[in-house]
Amino acid sequence: MLLCIDTGNTNTMFSIWDGTAFIAHWRIATDHRRTADEYFVWLSSLIALNKLSTDIDSCIISSTAPRVVFNLRVLCNRYFDTRPLVVGKPDCLLPVAPRVDEGTVVGPDRLVNAVGAYDRHGPDLIVVDFGTATTFDVIDTDGAYVGGVIAPGVNLSLEALHMGAASLPHVDVTMPTKVIGTNTVACIQSGIFWGYIGLSEGIVSKIRQERDRKMKVIATGGLAPLFDQGFDLFDAIEDDLTMHGLRLIYEYNKEMGNA
């Protein structure tokens, strides 16, 4: 079985692929201080609670938090007796290499999402990921990642607003009933919600204009459904896009004799 690990700046997702389907998904807060032993105690407890097999013989990691990778490597080596593939490292092959400026390091999550989205939706895509950052990634006709846009994430914007203006409270993100707020919380919610609707519509429009072609828009990330309420922003929402991409990258490397 394959263990897929996706480490973001906020959370880390563990998923198990049994050869035909993902049979488990678990999330834990990202913390570079967490040791391999702690990961294993947590993970093995969840596996036991769900009465799953522990026959994990391969691992692949995508991480936007470099300090976490070492202990995840140790976890795979020590407890599953396998050398993990790490997306973004030279020994982890991609089906199509990204076409970006020389020397540019592309976030592993963006590369993985490109692979997963192209497999499911074909060429000419914009992948919008509502994570710690809100990213817009462009996938070419052959599935290559060719660049994109990075904006502050929704929760990051809320936190910055709260930290920078002492009198403003921290609020939950929700779709407001009206654009014009009549109290402070409603004003902030409106600004965040409609601000990110405008951000998404504007950037997607500019990318399509620059590419001069019709492009499908695929959304992922926990807040994607929030911004799809009654709007024709996205052609599809994929909640498991990263895990799907990780599995495809592992299988590609296996076919190439690299895993």
Side-chain angles (χ1 to χ4, degrees):
M1 293 196 297
L2 172 66
L3 176 63
C4 297
I5 306 173
D6 173 40
T7 297
N9 292 299
T10 305
N11 292 308
T12 298
M13 176 74 79
F14 291 74
S15 296
I16 298 176
W17 173 261
D18 71 354
T20 58
F22 281 106
I23 59 174
H25 298 281
W26 297 301
R27 189 184 302 270
I28 192 171
T30 299
D31 185 349
H32 71 272
R33 297 169 299 179
R34 188 171 286 115
T35 66
D37 303 323
E38 289 174 307
Y39 278 121
F40 182 71
V41 169
W42 172 80
L43 188 59
S44 60
S45 297
L46 288 171
I47 290 172
L49 283 170
N50 287 271
K51 298 180 172 60
L52 300 175
S53 169
T54 57
D55 189 24
I56 293 170
D57 57 9
S58 51
C59 302
I60 184 167
I61 300 168
S62 168
S63 178
T64 57
R67 297 174 70 186
V68 175
V69 174
F70 173 78
N71 283 318
L72 290 175
R73 282 184 182 272
V74 174
L75 167 72
C76 299
N77 289 327
R78 179 180 297 165
Y79 291 105
F80 302 119
D81 193 27
T82 183
R83 178 175 174 271
L85 284 172
V86 180
V87 179
K89 300 298 182 183
D91 61 344
C92 183
L93 307 176
L94 296 175
V96 184
R99 291 193 288 272
V100 293
D101 293 344
E102 186 176 352
T104 298
V105 177
V106 181
D109 55 330
R110 306 177 81 181
L111 297 174
V112 172
N113 284 347
V115 172
Y118 180 73
D119 178 72
R120 285 182 171 170
H121 300 281
D124 292 325
L125 302 175
I126 303 169
V127 178
V128 186
D129 189 348
F130 291 94
T132 303
T134 300
T135 58
F136 299 76
D137 298 318
V138 180
I139 292 90
D140 210 346
T141 54
D142 60 350
Y145 172 89
V146 292
V149 176
I150 300 175
V154 175
N155 287 318
L156 193 62
S157 295
L158 279 169
E159 189 64 29
L161 190 63
H162 174 63
M163 295 294 290
S167 62
L168 296 181
H170 197 292
V171 303
D172 293 329
V173 185
T174 187
M175 180 179 176
T177 56
K178 298 184 297 182
V179 175
I180 301 173
T182 54
N183 57 69
T184 302
V185 169
C187 288
I188 296 172
Q189 288 175 333
S190 185
I192 291 295
F193 182 83
W194 294 111
Y196 275 86
I197 290 289
L199 174 79
S200 299
E201 289 178 332
I203 290 177
V204 165
S205 175
K206 287 294 185 182
I207 290 173
R208 284 173 169 161
Q209 181 181 341
E210 192 168 290
R211 298 283 291 174
D212 193 24
R213 67 190 70 177
K214 180 174 174 57
M215 304 183 74
K216 291 181 181 178
V217 182
I218 312 303
T220 189
L223 290 175
L226 171 67
F227 295 103
D228 194 45
Q229 298 181 80
F231 302 95
D232 191 23
L233 284 176
F234 313 124
D235 294 284
I237 293 178
E238 300 279 6
D239 59 359
D240 65 341
L241 188 63
T242 305
M243 289 304 168
H244 180 61
L246 280 172
R247 176 182 69 83
L248 293 174
I249 292 171
Y250 175 80
E251 290 178 352
Y252 177 75
N253 279 266
K254 189 174 182 179
E255 289 173 6
M256 300 297 290
N258 198 46

